[in-house]
Amino acid sequence: RESVSCTTMGNAESPTVAHIGTQQLGTDGSEMTTQVNPKTSVSFTLNSDAVFVENASPYLSLNDWLRSQPGLSGTKKMCGEGGCGCCVVSVKRLDPGALEESAISIISCLCPLYSVEGWTITTVEGIGSSRSGFHPIQVRVAERNGSQCGYCTPGFVMNMYSLLDQNPKPTKQEIEDNFDGNICRCTGYRPILEAMKTFAVDNDIAWIDIEDLSTTCPRTGKPCRGLCKAHVRGPTDPLWYRPSTLADVLTIIQNNPGSKVKLLVGDTGKGVFKVMSPADYFDIFIDLKGISDLYQTQLTGSSLTVGAAVTLASLIQILQENQQVSTNFQYIAKHLLKVANVPVRNVGSWAGNLMLTHDHNDFPSDVFTVLAAAGATLTIANASGSNTYTLLDFLKVDMTQSVIVSMELPFASAGIIFRSFKVMPRNQNSRAYVNAAFSMQVDPNSTVQGTPVLVFGGIQAHAVLAVNTANLLQQQNLLDPNTLKSAMAALDQDIVPDAPLVAASVQYRKSLALSLFYKYYLACIVDHVSPRVVTAANPYVRPISSGTQSYSTVPSNYPITQPIPKLASKLQASGEAQYTTDIPPYPDELAAAFVLTTQGNATITGINVDLASKMPGFMMVLTVADIPQGGQNNFLTAVGLHPEPVFATTFSEYAGHAVALVLADTQEYANAIAQSITVNYQNVKKPILTIQEAITAESFFPSPGPPIVMGNAKDAIAGSAHIITGDISCGAQYHFYMETQTSLCIPEEDGYTVHSSTQWTDLTQSAVATVLGIPVSSVDVTVKRVGGAYGGKITRSPQIAAACALGAYATKRPVRMHMDIDTNMQMIGKREPYYATFTIGCTDSGVINGIEMTVYNDAGCYGNDSTVQAALNAIDNAYFVQNWLVTPVTCKTNTASNTACRSPGTLPGIFIMESLVDYVAKSLNLNVEQVKLANLYQQGQVTPYNIPLNYCSIRDIWDQLYKSAEVDARKQYISQFNEINRWRKRGISVVPLKFGLGWSGAPYTVLVSIYATDGTVAVTHGGVEVGQGINTKVAQVAAKTLGISIDMIKIKPSNSLTNPNGMTTGGSISSELACLGVLNACTELKHRITPIQQVMGNPTWVELIQKCYSVGIDLSSKQFTYQTTDFAFAYFSYGATCAEVELDVLTGETQVIRVDILYDCGESINPDIDVGQVEGAFVMGMGYWMTERFIYDPDSGQLLTHNTWEYKPPSSQDIPIDWRVELLKNAPNPIGILRSKASGEPPQCMSCSVLFAAKRAVESARAEIQGSQVFSLDGPATTDVIQQYCMVDPSQFFF
């Protein structure tokens, strides 16, 4: 294939004018002359190097180009949608007509390479490294434990770097607001924000001048890194134009009739509407960034005119700077700050956003809603001339031959009251359930003048006007209660929501629309509004978040118990830490992508590859027929697991089932080709998608195990003063690991080398061997680190590795797969949903006598990873009940085979029990916390699974937390708050925890080697570093045991050679057992060298080791750990959490006001790491309970929430505003390894405290209209669900 040319020109400041081809570049790299001819090259500056690339594909993104260059893999890739932030880089550019460069952060995965003409780009490698010195941002993030798995860290670093470049003295609020586009699944955000706020001008510590933040770029002057051949322009690729005038744009369009043309500024829209298949391809791209007329802004006496290429960020700045000119400008700017995120707003234009809603019926544009309400008009040009349109008329214009030129935004007339609203699934970076903007002229007597403009988005395919309501309000006095009543009645008729599958319910969106107008109505007469409802008129302003962390250490035992950052944290912050997807490409390497079915519960009759075989980059398609003789179509080979196929053969169990594997030149080609392949079906049946549907269809797996039986539950219930029945459920959860499923398989002379993002090297090794029909010893699996896992890379990652191995076998070439998020979410299983029905017998005081319960779990289509036994072993949580009968039932559904997810089984099991206790208290009208206290375990009692609690501290922890969190005083305040506020309510909840940790049957191998040359030590262990800090804890134990500095110890990648037959990393036990193995190995080494040391007297460490070597002492030790215990659990961890939530009753939006966590971590080996685990687990749990939901197509079974556009883990402004974490002090674990306890999973099980706090607030809202206090709040309790439980009734609206 023809190669793409790339030339590095050395220091960008060297030439005044560099002649390259037929173009001329100025000193800033921008074109000095322009042509209407298509572009075939692009020039820019990268980390101080001037770079020239020609003949690249117009589809090539800046991110893909960067990651194809050696040494530039620090800029990560995950979603390809602008929804995660791990690909952020910093840019300086000079927009046409601008006087100076602007420094901004951008999403590199959405940025076409051709669009960066003349830009100065800085990546994480360009600001600091281990060789040139780390940047202060990198250091702060690392030292303040802001990096766990580390995959997201470079994106956070570069976002902060861009902010400081743009604003050297930001406030803490500006810093918090800056990270609306960065997702971290590991840390819980608190330490990241804390690290970044050390640069704030209003921070308590000394401020650092921006001049001190620069470092010398280590890449200047280095030779060209070249360009991957597969990024070359293909024969069917579109033409790329960068005209300099609007006339040129129209000429290009006119000269290409019938061509599919895309006009772009930032091209961020493809993050929502992806280029997935040939149907999405364009013939021509026209880059508008070279047209100065489209960047013009003009302020006249009556309006503001803004060019179409002006970015959202620039528009916001213009409105803010001129807010004194028109009263509505500040509100429009505030609303636009809720559109997408900072890096997207930095490059996406307002006009491009309008075009998205013009071209797509499912894009609820906030820009359209607010501009329409403000009366904006658009100037649109085509070859015949230009015309002006209103926003609503614009939707009817045929734009195929036309271009938006500008917008005219009129100043608000005197008396105009303008407000806008956006209600989202989470507090940042989300599409709206409903957005609205209202503009109404009100005279001093509160009488409406003229016709109001009432615009709603998210109701129909496009924004709608409430015409009847607007007409009714004319000349009406707003202080007349009948005006409000009549307006609400009219609006009830105006608002007729449609019912897309992925939207919130019709009922919620209608109720929300009416509620938002009510809020606006109150704002218009705010001076006349009752104090009890005034909060509905005033938007909630979230304070800056803060946190405290408290723990004890044992200095005499350092570095064990010493709070130190992760060893690799600075490398993670600098982008130098290598993940599987970062491994440089091998010669002749191919990329792989799965072909997925689109219909579940159907017979497969064949696949059609005709179109695929003609697409660029195509190599071949593999199916089950290509598995070699002797191999098996099975990637699950561990003892006790049932076979699961790599490829579906004749039956599609679920939509998303892998049916074939595409091999192509690049990952982008492979993904596109896979999308083009169609699967044919027959005998299509309606898929079973929920537990309730499975129960109806009696679709169950064989019994997962015996029921829990303790005492006589039936008799105890029958003899109780109260018998209470109910049910409760909780849904699925996507792991949202930032590094999606990834594997690289390399054919070797004696087998295969596999690099895999896996938690289980042994299972991955056996899967490859089984599929290829070769000895296990012919497969070597290595993993250095994993960019997040949470259980999702235990049994699921072997399928990816096995498929890549099959590709390597078929082609005799290396094969890599970096799965895109859509495929990952559709194909890979998630946390299992749960449903429980219960009957409880209890006393008048709420003491539970007996529980009879059936617990259903949804294991998906295969059931290998059913977690129901884990749920049963946590079903009691922290409560003693004498009589139990709990029956487990595992359901089979037409969904992906569900799998372990952080705290598998225990998280839903504990939630079920907490819901039961809550239900008892509410049914008896008792204080919930008093009922919990009455039922808490006491030392010496026995669990329903027959484990005596010989070390039970739950009551002491409860009392300590209850006092330190000031629960009683806060309850009193909340009661008063709720009494004086009708539409804002608060709730508080305390949740205890008992979490069992089991070691039995978990083999791990450790190898410790001391090198005689310099005495340094290398360790490899059976665990995998997934962000939990296992390598750091292992190094601490090794250093303490050997008596050397931790700097002398290196932790090597985990692999199948030194850890044969090993267990997965999971269950929160790997760190402890790896530390045990290292402790034993180092103790043995110490035993060997001590006699030599005694003879030598007082040698240095190096002298001692060299002497040992000279006399033949074995300086390596291999230890195999295989722990057994008398019971299923070796010990229990205990904890308690108090959460306080504030609820907007009218919308369902919540803010977590404060969280207090007290967790028993024993004698923590590393408190910094363990606090990080507590916080990260808790926020991941918050997402499970409050924001993360799944929606399936009921007919095909296709997952509809399979990307960052629809699936919403928590963001940085969803975390607790006031967050206090304490590790129980002076509480060594007599049973634990080095007196410690696990921290990775148990704290997550207390996160349901947020849901229950929200429930308390809902109960207060329901009490206003005598609504029942007895109800179950299922998880996830998303914004729309919570609002509906509040029973909002417009007849209750008053002022």
Side-chain angles (χ1 to χ4, degrees), residues 6 17 108 187 204 252 325 344 355-356 378 502 593 643 694 763 813 899 1008 1031 1128 1144 1208 1251 1289:
C6 173
V17 176
S108 65
T187 65
D204 295 334
I252 296 168
V325 175
V344 168
M355 283 303 303
L356 289 179
L378 303 180
V502 295
L763 186 61
R813 294 166 65 173
T899 189
V1008 179
N1031 287 349
D1144 185 325
K1208 298 298 180 182
L1251 179 145
D1289 182 355

Side-chain angles (χ1 to χ4, degrees), residues 707-736:
I708 286 182
V709 179
M710 184 178 186
N712 189 324
K714 290 183 181 295
D715 288 351
I717 293 170
S720 295
H722 301 275
I723 298 176
I724 299 168
T725 61
D727 60 3
I728 189 70
S729 68
C730 49
Q733 184 178 31
Y734 175 54
H735 304 81
F736 215 92

